[in-house]
Amino acid sequence: MTEPARAAPEQVRTVTCVGAGVIGGGWVAYFLARGYRVVAWDPAKDAETRLRHLVGRAWPALTELGLAEGASTDNLVVERDLATACAGTDFVQESAPEDLVLKRTLLAEIDAVTPEDVVISSSTSGYGMTEMQDKCAHPERTVVGHPFNPPYLIPLVEVVGGTETAPDVVAWTAAFFRHAGKSVIVMDHEVPGFIANRLQEALWREALHMVAAGEATVEQIDLSITDGPGLRWPVHGPMLTFHLAGGQGGMARMLDHFGPSLESPWTRLQAAELTPALRDAVVEGCEREAGDRTIDDLVAERDRGVIAILRALGRA
Amino acid sequence: MTEPARAAPEQVRTVTCVGAGVIGGGWVAYFLARGYRVVAWDPAKDAETRLRHLVGRAWPALTELGLAEGASTDNLVVERDLATACAGTDFVQESAPEDLVLKRTLLAEIDAVTPEDVVISSSTSGYGMTEMQDKCAHPERTVVGHPFNPPYLIPLVEVVGGTETAPDVVAWTAAFFRHAGKSVIVMDHEVPGFIANRLQEALWREALHMVAAGEATVEQIDLSITDGPGLRWPVHGPMLTFHLAGGQGGMARMLDHFGPSLESPWTRLQAAELTPALRDAVVEGCEREAGDRTIDDLVAERDRGVIAILRALGRA
């Protein structure tokens, strides 16, 4: 096997972001803050306006965390044409809407116009690269690099290849994200929903069941986490947290003591049916909870909170 | 109905803590720090030694957060006899092991020796008060007051009565915990696992499935939360967090966009079978992750982290 002639992870200078919604725009802001030149493409007519709003909204947080040398929002170029956006790039991050047909087609289009040795990473939050890469002429350089909202503040990126992805592409991508300041989990095989989303999804489904059954309001669910277990999870994660629930006996004692209650009917086990009534109850609950705080207010509040937590834990 | 002649919530001076393990001991530390006189009882021979260790370990964190006037570990009395521990108390918090038969019997014993107008609250993490109170002569003053580990730092207490619990007892208990500085969720009816534990349990089950299936290690699970969604949850909780995943369209757009993926097989839906192999994999994973950090080291680390987060979010 000949080694691809791609740039070393630390030599990447230009990053192309395909898709400029909440996630794509977050990536744009992040890469700009890390000092990269960023070329963005999005088919929406008002894409550039929305993207510059997103980047502008994220910039104070990124400035507070510290910009890389030479970092500037002036390093952003928005192209109208996908081929122009991908020509001469060192790395592509795709963040299109979560639609399998769309992503398969788009990845093949990106693949056709991107220099052959350049890695193409997808922000997909659930699809496996195996099911997305099959229309690509060079599927070996496609890989999942799954971020968390907002990508400019949450460190985690889950990296996993498909059956056609070359192992050295997975390794390169992990090294690139780490060099760019991310916290990377490399998965050795595809799991639907990866890791964090499966955990998050389990919690989310349970929350929907509780709202649907009238057992808890949206506000109670949020308060139960912000003032409860949510305060422990950023410190140690769920497993090590429970390691401390067993006293000096640790996880062993915890499992021996609470293990039997695993069988208790504490969780609703099916996916909740998203009826119009449930949808409305969840939407109205969020709007009630948000009160007169706009989305921008809430984003600013979240960003301040996440930065404060990262700082507080010595991880900023 | 005659109003019980119990002390007003803000007039409570003496709290009895029955059970002095991790949770009971955490309550003892918390109530001492809030300036209460605490009487503790636990049937274990070495209970007092272990309890004083727990309180001593928690005290630096509590001191850093600020002690109430007159707060002192000298205000702790450990009694050998349950009746003596409950005589003359203003409030009882039961934190015995999670065993229904044991709790039913113990609550009846506490009920028999506690002044009739005094509220008896249980730390149970899963049983309903209805199934625990039926041997009590005065079940109307028994109520669930479910804390989170460590009770001396995590603000949340879930308060819910059983079918025999008097509504004014639920109200009194909520008022008492709030006066004592807690964040209280009052549930209007019993739900197995209450609210936060159901959410936490859903995540925990999913984590066990992933370990059992070899899809993620204990360390990956923890990292996926500490560096991922765990950084958002203390700020806004899971619902308002997703309200921000939909861009300016908020939760409505988020549900309309991601709703269909609710049906995706992202979560394992049964309770994981806790086989000896799974138990050992989880225990060994935690020990590997803990490395040379002892339980006491980890507790201190968690306490510093939680305090830092509370401070960072302006909630200390």
Side-chain angles (χ1 to χ4, degrees):
Chain A
M1 207 173 74
T2 34
E3 197 69 10
R6 68 181 62 93
E10 62 277 15
Q11 290 173 332
V12 170
R13 293 289 168 267
T14 300
V15 170
T16 297
C17 291
V18 175
V22 171
I23 296 298
W27 272 125
V28 168
Y30 184 74
F31 286 124
L32 286 170
R34 301 320 310 146
Y36 294 96
R37 177 174 174 265
V38 179
V39 185
W41 176 86
D42 186 292
K45 264 203 168 164
D46 60 345
E48 178 152 5
T49 310
R50 283 193 298 121
L51 177 55
R52 294 205 181 265
H53 172 76
L54 277 170
V55 171
R57 193 174 68 178
W59 207 250
L62 288 162
T63 304
E64 200 191 325
L65 280 176
L67 301 174
E69 209 186 309
S72 164
T73 56
D74 293 344
N75 295 331
L76 169 63
V77 177
V78 181
E79 293 289 354
R80 291 299 192 126
D81 175 59
L82 182 63
T84 315
C86 294
T89 192
D90 299 316
F91 178 74
V92 179
Q93 182 74 28
E94 170 273 311
S95 311
E98 204 63 12
D99 175 316
L100 182 56
V101 175
L102 188 156
K103 284 198 183 269
R104 286 174 77 218
T105 308
L106 182 59
L107 284 170
E109 287 170 13
I110 296 169
D111 181 47
V113 296
T114 301
E116 189 180 328
D117 53 353
V118 167
V119 170
I120 301 169
S121 163
S122 172
S123 298
T124 181
S125 56
Y127 297 120
M129 187 43 82
T130 300
E131 55 188 340
M132 294 192 297
Q133 69 190 175
D134 66 337
K135 286 179 138 186
C136 293
H138 301 288
E140 69 282 355
R141 45 81 170 261
T142 61
V143 63
V144 168
H146 174 234
F148 290 79
N149 192 39
Y152 56 87
L153 287 185
I154 304 292
L156 187 64
V157 182
E158 292 169 319
V159 174
V160 57
T163 50
E164 298 295 324
T165 308
D168 70 289
V169 165
V170 173
W172 186 95
T173 308
F176 166 68
F177 281 128
R178 287 198 177 110
H179 179 76
K182 288 299 196 179
S183 171
V184 178
I185 291 181
V186 178
M187 298 178 67
D188 58 11
H189 63 291
E190 292 181 297
V191 173
F194 318 123
I195 298 178
N197 262 0
R198 279 187 59 171
L199 298 169
Q200 182 169 244
E201 180 82 358
L203 192 149
W204 165 242
R205 281 191 178 179
E206 195 65 12
L208 290 179
H209 276 297
M210 299 193 80
V211 172
E215 293 168 336
T217 64
V218 167
E219 296 95 319
Q220 285 179 321
I221 287 166
D222 278 347
L223 186 66
S224 81
I225 297 299
T226 58
D227 287 23
L231 292 167
R232 306 182 300 206
W233 284 326
V235 183
H236 279 155
M239 308 301 275
L240 217 51
T241 289
F242 279 168
H243 188 48
L244 304 186
Q248 297 295 338
M251 180 60 90
R253 185 161 174 277
M254 149 75 190
L255 283 175
D256 299 338
H257 185 62
F258 288 105
S261 74
L262 255 188
E263 302 295 327
S264 302
W266 285 9
T267 53
R268 297 296 169 111
L269 303 175
Q270 304 85 343
E273 191 193 349
L274 193 60
T275 62
L278 175 55
R279 177 200 176 278
D280 292 350
V282 173
V283 171
E284 284 158 21
C286 281
E287 283 165 359
R288 213 164 47 228
E289 197 178 345
D292 52 12
R293 291 172 292 176
T294 65
I295 294 282
D296 280 358
D297 293 340
L298 289 167
V299 165
E301 185 176 289
R302 178 201 59 196
D303 288 1
R304 283 195 305 272
V306 172
I307 290 175
I309 291 168
L310 287 169
R311 281 240 167 94
L313 299 178
R315 298 199 264 135
Chain B
M1 206 175 77
T2 34
E3 197 69 12
R6 70 179 62 92
E10 63 276 15
Q11 290 173 333
V12 169
R13 292 291 167 266
T14 301
V15 170
T16 297
C17 291
V18 174
V22 172
I23 297 298
W27 272 124
V28 167
Y30 184 74
F31 285 124
L32 286 171
R34 302 320 310 144
Y36 294 96
R37 178 174 173 264
V38 179
V39 185
W41 176 86
D42 188 291
K45 262 202 171 166
D46 61 344
E48 178 153 5
T49 309
R50 282 194 300 123
L51 176 55
R52 294 205 181 265
H53 173 76
L54 278 170
V55 171
R57 193 174 67 178
W59 208 250
L62 288 162
T63 303
E64 198 190 325
L65 280 174
L67 301 174
E69 210 188 307
S72 165
T73 55
D74 293 344
N75 294 331
L76 168 63
V77 177
V78 182
E79 292 288 354
R80 291 299 192 124
D81 175 61
L82 181 64
T84 314
C86 295
T89 192
D90 299 317
F91 178 74
V92 179
Q93 183 74 29
E94 170 273 311
S95 310
E98 206 63 13
D99 174 317
L100 182 56
V101 175
L102 187 158
K103 283 198 183 271
R104 286 174 78 218
T105 308
L106 181 60
L107 284 170
E109 287 170 10
I110 296 168
D111 181 49
V113 296
T114 301
E116 189 178 327
D117 51 354
V118 167
V119 170
I120 301 168
S121 165
S122 173
S123 297
T124 181
S125 57
Y127 297 120
M129 187 42 83
T130 300
E131 53 188 339
M132 294 192 297
Q133 69 190 174
D134 67 338
K135 286 179 139 185
C136 294
H138 302 287
E140 69 282 354
R141 46 81 170 262
T142 61
V143 63
V144 168
H146 174 233
F148 291 80
N149 191 39
Y152 55 88
L153 287 184
I154 304 293
L156 186 64
V157 182
E158 293 171 316
V159 174
V160 57
T163 49
E164 297 295 322
T165 308
D168 69 288
V169 165
V170 173
W172 185 95
T173 308
F176 166 68
F177 281 128
R178 288 196 177 109
H179 179 76
K182 288 299 193 179
S183 172
V184 178
I185 292 181
V186 179
M187 300 179 66
D188 59 11
H189 63 290
E190 292 181 297
V191 173
F194 318 124
I195 298 176
N197 262 0
R198 278 186 60 168
L199 299 169
Q200 179 169 246
E201 180 83 359
L203 192 150
W204 165 241
R205 280 190 179 180
E206 197 65 10
L208 290 180
H209 276 297
M210 300 192 79
V211 173
E215 293 168 336
T217 63
V218 167
E219 296 94 319
Q220 285 178 322
I221 288 166
D222 278 347
L223 186 67
S224 81
I225 297 298
T226 59
D227 288 22
L231 292 167
R232 307 182 299 207
W233 284 326
V235 182
H236 278 157
M239 308 302 274
L240 216 52
T241 289
F242 279 168
H243 188 48
L244 303 186
Q248 298 294 337
M251 180 59 90
R253 184 160 174 280
M254 149 76 190
L255 282 176
D256 299 339
H257 185 61
F258 288 105
S261 74
L262 254 189
E263 303 294 328
S264 302
W266 286 8
T267 53
R268 297 299 170 108
L269 302 175
Q270 304 85 342
E273 190 192 347
L274 192 60
T275 62
L278 176 55
R279 176 200 176 278
D280 291 350
V282 173
V283 170
E284 283 158 22
C286 281
E287 283 165 1
R288 211 163 50 226
E289 196 177 347
D292 53 12
R293 293 173 291 176
T294 65
I295 294 283
D296 280 358
D297 293 340
L298 289 165
V299 164
E301 185 176 290
R302 177 201 60 199
D303 287 1
R304 282 194 306 271
V306 171
I307 290 175
I309 292 167
L310 288 169
R311 281 242 167 94
L313 300 177
R315 299 199 261 135

